[in-house]
Amino acid sequence: MRLQTLIFIVCGFGLLTLSRGLLAAWQWRRVQSAGGLWPILKGGLRIDAIQIAMLAGVPALLSPWLGHYPLAVAITGWWLTIAWFLLILLEVSTPQFIYEYDTRPNRLYVEYLEHPQEVFGMLWKGYKAVIFGGVFILALATWLGFEWFGNGPADTPMAWWLRPIATLVAGAVIVLAIRGTLGHRPINPSSVAYCGDSMLNTLPLNSLYSVLYAVYSMKNERSAADVYGNMPTEEMLAIVNQCAGIAAPNDDIPSLHTQAPQAARARPLNIVLIVEESLGAQFVGNLGGADLTPNLDALASRGWNFTHAYATGTRSVRGLEAVVAGFPPTISDAALRLSGAQSNFFTLAQLLKQHGYRSRFIYGGEAHFDNMKSFFLGNGFDDLYERSSFDNPAFVGTWGASDEDMFAKLDALLSNPPDQPTLTLAFSVTNHTPWEYPAGRIEPQGNPATNENSVRYADWAIGQFFEKARQSPYWQDTVFLVVADHDARVGGASLVPLRHFHIPALIVGADVQPRRDDRLISQIDLAPTLLSIAGLQTEHPMVGRDLTQPGGGRAMMQYNENYGYLRGEQLIVLEPHRSPGQYVYQAPATYTPTALDPELAKEALAHVLWPDWVYKNQRYTLPQLRLRE
């Protein structure tokens, strides 16, 4: 049993490495242009260790105790042979899947199993040679695997005192292999993503792991219709388009429309998105919060300050999907974490690539957290700068390099621009428990490790950066958005605690004129607004409003199981499997029940169903990306 398991482990690594090498050779031009073979092989060993540990872990743990029993040897042989068969089946299927979909087998592979007649009929008519070749390789490799480790003699009984030692050692190795890292976040597909080619980012995976991870991730894709109720698709699309001011819907991508800029520019502006971790309005002086942000308040007085901006959720990934992709919230997980959004999903980077932009992501932590790395590199971002790319950071805490280090990297990139306009997303980390920041920057009040003192440091870092940026050559060519991803410590007795969705959002730089804007707006309105200021005429599927034009007046947010839709002072709350409720909201926390407006309730329902529908039907994309599917 011990020998069987060892042979399986060696053969498993050999099979998956050989398959990965052949796939890389087939796609060599793309591999070579993206940095060569080493990132694929290095990442592949880490992912293969996870998969093989999952398959061989139980036999390895039990072999010291049961390996001398013939029945245990026989059961192990069949288990390892079945596991070997699955590994081979998925790898044999991979070249044709890549040819069709430009990615390793994923959730689509599983979804096709729901339609065996149509799928096998298609394969039989168009790919007979591929089928026969694949079946031959599968049969031969399975037979070889059974010969190698499918059966064998029983082990020599192990001394009783060695058994617990062997089990502990095997257990430690298995846990480390499955976790994939000694860091505080376990490995996931984003950990081995390394370039802007989404197909190449799947090569370090093996196909069984890719499919299993996709199946696991599907738990995050709850149906909004099952939770809140349904309406006819055409009615839902019409309501959302009408609210977004889209007059001529596209047949294939229903929200696709052309957006004209507020003014044409000879050269479009660089766009910088600065997303501040957990910086809710409760901390911001000019928004009626605690007086903790003098630098942000001063900056707001010099720019376009939105005083009634609302986040779409309570997690960073929710804020990032709203700001970077203009995507509204729903009861499913944020798009960054959904398997079907890892490529060909709309982002500003996808759009701006058509206009000659280069897109960068700066993050002081580990970018594979919350699958950010995979999502961004798979959807248009060209360069990624995470903790490991920061030279001599001033301070590194639990979550990564400090805000001042992130801003130093941002300044360095903006000061050395490429010969093309740029989109830069910079995401801070400091304002997060356990509230770590470098000493000597602020005068902390009370215990230094508090949310309030962390906010003071985050504000200090903002002030230091913009004081330098305003004196820099890139200032006149760049428009900056400063916005929070969400508030900190979101909670309360209300169904949707709106005061904790209120966030700062302001636009500065270039020729942006100081302005206090008291319109009610959502995070999804910011991306279209930036495109307009940058001077770009674009075609995109975002349903947020360009705030350089009349608009706004509504916000939407997901709070645990509840969905809030705020229009003016009227708040619709959708709860799972219950009739909608309506309230008159008066800041900061007064909710007065009122009679339900059926049309407003229908508008709210349409907006919670829409993102779910466009995601599942792959309609939140661009025409040229849609053609590649």
Side-chain angles (χ1 to χ4, degrees):
M1 191 171 172
R2 295 191 294 271
L3 182 60
Q4 285 173 293
T5 305
L6 178 60
I7 295 174
F8 174 82
I9 291 171
V10 173
C11 290
F13 275 110
L15 166 71
L16 298 175
T17 302
L18 174 63
S19 175
R20 187 173 291 111
L22 292 174
L23 292 172
W26 173 37
Q27 300 289 340
W28 182 246
R29 288 187 178 180
R30 292 167 71 173
V31 170
Q32 193 173 36
S33 65
L37 187 60
W38 176 239
I40 295 172
L41 295 180
K42 180 178 67 173
L45 287 174
R46 298 176 68 191
I47 296 296
D48 293 347
I50 296 173
Q51 188 65 73
I52 293 171
M54 293 171 64
L55 297 173
V58 172
L61 289 172
L62 296 179
S63 62
W65 307 90
L66 303 177
H68 52 286
Y69 293 110
L71 179 60
V73 173
I75 293 173
T76 298
W78 280 108
W79 166 253
L80 295 178
T81 301
I82 292 171
W84 178 253
F85 173 84
L86 291 175
L87 287 173
I88 298 166
L89 173 64
L90 270 296
E91 293 303 315
V92 167
S93 306
T94 297
Q96 189 64 41
F97 201 90
I98 289 178
Y99 179 78
E100 295 289 340
Y101 302 107
D102 205 41
T103 187
R104 273 193 185 268
N106 53 19
R107 57 174 286 162
L108 190 59
Y109 191 94
V110 179
E111 291 173 355
Y112 272 166
L113 296 179
E114 299 175 3
H115 310 283
Q117 182 176 349
E118 293 84 352
V119 172
F120 288 113
M122 173 195 70
L123 293 174
W124 180 252
K125 288 181 181 180
Y127 303 99
K128 289 186 178 70
V130 173
I131 291 174
F132 285 122
V135 169
F136 174 77
I137 294 172
L138 183 61
L140 176 62
T142 303
W143 174 76
L144 288 173
F146 187 78
E147 289 295 313
W148 290 335
F149 48 74
N151 53 42
D155 296 338
T156 302
M158 185 177 288
W160 67 267
W161 58 271
L162 277 177
R163 293 178 185 180
I165 296 174
T167 301
L168 287 173
V169 171
V173 172
I174 290 165
V175 169
L176 179 59
I178 291 176
R179 201 170 188 280
T181 176
L182 292 173
H184 57 281
R185 300 189 185 102
I187 194 172
N188 60 39
S190 186
S191 305
V192 296
Y194 72 101
C195 68
D197 187 325
S198 59
M199 189 280 290
L200 293 184
N201 284 335
T202 68
L203 289 190
L205 311 178
N206 62 69
S207 293
L208 180 58
Y209 176 89
S210 178
V211 168
L212 292 177
Y213 192 87
V215 171
Y216 169 77
S217 299
M218 288 169 69
K219 68 180 176 58
N220 298 320
E221 300 177 20
R222 300 176 64 185
S223 169
D226 291 343
V227 176
Y228 299 122
N230 208 349
M231 69 168 52
T233 299
E234 292 304 318
E235 182 181 12
M236 176 262 293
L237 296 176
I239 290 173
V240 172
N241 280 346
Q242 180 182 13
C243 291
I246 301 171
N250 182 280
D251 291 336
D252 192 41
I253 303 174
S255 60
L256 189 70
H257 63 284
T258 299
Q259 177 188 328
Q262 66 171 356
R265 296 182 184 271
R267 184 185 188 276
L269 296 176
N270 302 315
I271 298 174
V272 175
L273 313 173
I274 298 173
V275 179
E276 287 289 322
E277 173 70 55
S278 304
L279 189 63
Q282 63 170 310
F283 304 114
V284 180
N286 81 86
L287 299 179
D291 189 19
L292 303 177
T293 58
N295 292 289
L296 187 63
D297 295 337
L299 190 65
S301 68
R302 301 188 188 102
W304 186 357
N305 186 29
F306 298 98
T307 62
H308 289 86
Y310 282 79
T312 58
T314 60
R315 289 287 313 279
S316 296
V317 284
R318 188 68 79 190
L320 289 170
E321 75 172 353
V323 173
V324 179
F327 198 62
T330 189
I331 197 161
S332 290
D333 209 337
L336 276 73
R337 293 165 55 91
L338 298 181
S339 61
Q342 300 309 300
S343 63
N344 296 345
F345 190 85
F346 175 82
T347 65
L348 283 176
Q350 296 275 36
L351 175 66
L352 294 175
K353 193 178 291 289
Q354 303 174 19
H355 296 269
Y357 277 67
R358 187 168 190 87
S359 297
R360 300 90 64 96
F361 173 45
I362 307 173
Y363 181 57
E366 299 171 8
H368 71 267
F369 178 65
D370 267 340
N371 213 50
M372 293 186 294
K373 183 178 182 181
S374 179
F375 178 84
F376 290 137
L377 288 179
N379 288 301
F381 280 80
D382 302 292
D383 306 310
L384 185 146
Y385 302 91
E386 57 182 333
R387 161 67 186 90
S388 59
S389 71
F390 286 30
D391 297 326
N392 301 315
F395 179 84
V396 178
T398 301
W399 286 90
S402 67
D403 287 7
E404 64 190 83
D405 295 303
M406 180 272 287
F407 279 124
K409 176 66 75 172
L410 174 59
D411 177 69
L413 290 176
L414 294 176
S415 298
N416 296 277
D419 294 329
Q420 59 190 124
T422 58
L423 166 71
T424 308
L425 167 63
F427 184 24
S428 75
V429 302
T430 296
N431 189 34
H432 198 294
T433 181
W435 323 122
E436 299 169 308
Y437 52 88
R441 275 45 170 189
I442 63 168
E443 287 292 334
Q445 296 185 15
N447 178 10
T450 63
N451 196 173
E452 289 73 18
N453 284 322
S454 182
V455 169
R456 290 186 177 94
Y457 169 75
D459 178 70
W460 176 87
I462 291 171
Q464 293 293 304
F465 170 73
F466 278 102
E467 182 178 350
K468 185 175 183 179
R470 290 204 318 272
Q471 308 303 319
S472 300
Y474 57 73
W475 179 261
Q476 292 301 321
D477 302 320
T478 307
V479 57
F480 297 84
L481 167 70
V482 182
V483 63
D485 55 355
H486 57 82
D487 193 8
R489 299 191 298 254
V490 178
S494 52
L495 294 173
V496 180
L498 290 177
R499 66 184 299 179
H500 288 298
F501 286 83
H502 187 198
I503 57 171
L506 58 100
I507 296 173
V508 295
D511 52 5
V512 175
Q513 297 301 307
R515 174 184 177 188
R516 178 185 173 96
D517 194 327
D518 294 327
R519 286 179 291 177
L520 170 65
I521 70 162
S522 171
Q523 277 176 323
I524 69 169
D525 299 321
L526 298 171
T529 304
L530 289 169
L531 293 175
S532 182
I533 295 172
L536 292 161
Q537 176 154 321
T538 56
E539 185 181 49
H540 62 73
M542 292 186 288
V543 294
R545 300 302 296 258
D546 171 11
L547 299 173
T548 65
Q549 307 295 324
R554 60 90 184 89
M556 56 207 71
M557 58 284 297
Q558 187 74 39
Y559 178 61
N560 297 328
E561 300 283 289
N562 298 337
Y563 179 84
Y565 188 83
L566 180 65
R567 179 172 288 284
E569 293 185 340
Q570 300 298 317
L571 172 67
I572 297 291
V573 177
L574 303 181
E575 299 178 78
H577 313 297
R578 296 187 65 180
S579 299
Q582 185 166 340
Y583 304 83
V584 176
Y585 172 68
Q586 293 178 313
T590 301
Y591 302 84
T592 305
T594 187
L596 183 70
D597 179 345
E599 291 304 310
L600 186 58
K602 188 179 292 186
E603 187 176 314
L605 180 59
H607 279 84
V608 77
L609 294 176
W610 186 88
D612 188 49
W613 186 89
V614 295
Y615 166 74
K616 290 180 177 176
N617 290 277
Q618 299 177 314
R619 295 299 195 273
Y620 199 70
T621 187
L622 294 170
Q624 63 274 24
L625 301 178
R626 176 87 178 135
L627 293 173
R628 289 167 49 189
E629 296 174 1

